[in-house]
Amino acid sequence: MSTDGQDGRAGLEAQRRAIAAACRRRGWRLPEPVEEADFSADELSRPGVQEALRVLEFADAKALVAWKLDSLSRLLLDLACLLASAQQQGWALAALDCTLKTTTPAGEAMANVLATFAPFERRLISQRTRQALAAKRAQGVRLGRPPKMSQYAIERIRRERAAGNSLAAIANGLNADRIPTAQGGRRWYPATIRYTLNRTN
């Protein structure tokens, strides 16, 4: 069970009753339900889901019942992995908002359809990521880990430049003393010194 929106507690209570009723109809005994009030359903690595999967893996339960399919995950890829685990480990997956029940032929067919579309979703996600990064680069946004130069290196470069040292001499001195660059590299260049002075002035 999970919450979505401001009416979280009331929503959880309704989900709890619906899941309990569904288990009674099937003759299933419901252990302690898993409630996740502060997590997004965007991934399966949430603590509650992981705990439920551990219980299923060790055969301490025979079914995973969800209020809605997207309360487990909104990613088709994750759902395909869940269905594959259910089939391999011999437990059932049931979602109350749709006819997905892996214990039936129709549910198994649905599982196969989801598994077929999972690679397609993976490629779509990859394509969208590349397009978003390209758009950021076109806007001049610097991607990756931001550089972090030590204050000592910045002050030393400024001091030596103010004393009249050339860019090459400053770079050679830093290399000789093995002062790391902003990215943790070992090699300074005159152009790096010029860039640092322009950025920090």
Side-chain angles (χ1 to χ4, degrees):
M1 297 180 288
S2 64
T3 57
D4 187 12
Q6 64 271 26
D7 197 19
R9 299 311 306 177
L12 279 177
E13 182 57 36
Q15 293 175 49
R16 190 183 297 112
R17 288 197 301 267
I19 289 175
C23 289
R24 282 195 301 273
R25 285 195 300 272
R26 292 169 174 81
W28 294 348
R29 183 181 61 84
L30 179 65
E32 188 68 23
V34 175
E35 299 179 6
E36 293 186 314
D38 300 314
F39 291 91
S40 167
D42 290 334
E43 55 184 24
L44 284 177
S45 60
R46 308 188 311 273
V49 173
Q50 290 303 306
E51 177 59 28
L53 292 177
R54 276 192 293 272
V55 171
L56 291 160
E57 182 180 1
F58 290 105
D60 293 328
K62 295 297 183 184
L64 177 61
V65 183
W67 162 248
K68 290 184 176 181
L69 196 58
D70 66 4
S71 67
L72 289 170
S73 177
R74 296 188 182 99
L75 293 177
L76 188 60
L77 201 59
D78 284 345
L79 295 174
C81 290
L82 263 183
L83 291 164
S85 295
Q87 290 175 329
Q88 291 167 7
Q89 297 170 7
W91 47 269
L93 174 61
L96 304 189
D97 66 328
C98 63
T99 57
L100 178 59
K101 299 179 185 68
T102 57
T103 53
T104 66
E108 188 173 350
M110 177 66 77
N112 291 332
V113 170
L114 288 175
T116 299
F117 276 91
F120 172 67
E121 184 186 45
R122 187 188 297 114
R123 289 194 295 272
L124 276 182
I125 292 171
S126 177
Q127 181 183 47
R128 289 175 190 144
T129 301
R130 287 196 303 271
Q131 290 172 343
L133 291 175
K136 290 290 186 183
R137 290 191 191 98
Q139 295 167 4
V141 176
R142 186 184 180 93
L143 302 173
R145 181 170 54 90
K148 184 170 178 60
M149 187 177 298
S150 70
Q151 194 60 36
Y152 167 79
I154 294 172
E155 291 175 358
R156 174 171 168 170
I157 291 170
R158 286 175 177 168
R159 186 172 60 251
E160 293 189 10
R161 188 60 172 166
N165 292 348
S166 69
L167 299 176
I170 297 172
N172 290 337
L174 292 170
N175 290 332
D177 292 340
R178 297 184 177 181
I179 306 299
T181 67
Q183 300 289 1
R186 299 180 180 178
R187 189 74 182 164
W188 291 86
Y189 298 92
T192 315
I193 304 300
R194 181 185 297 110
Y195 177 80
T196 303
L197 288 168
N198 290 338
R199 286 290 301 268
T200 58
N201 284 340

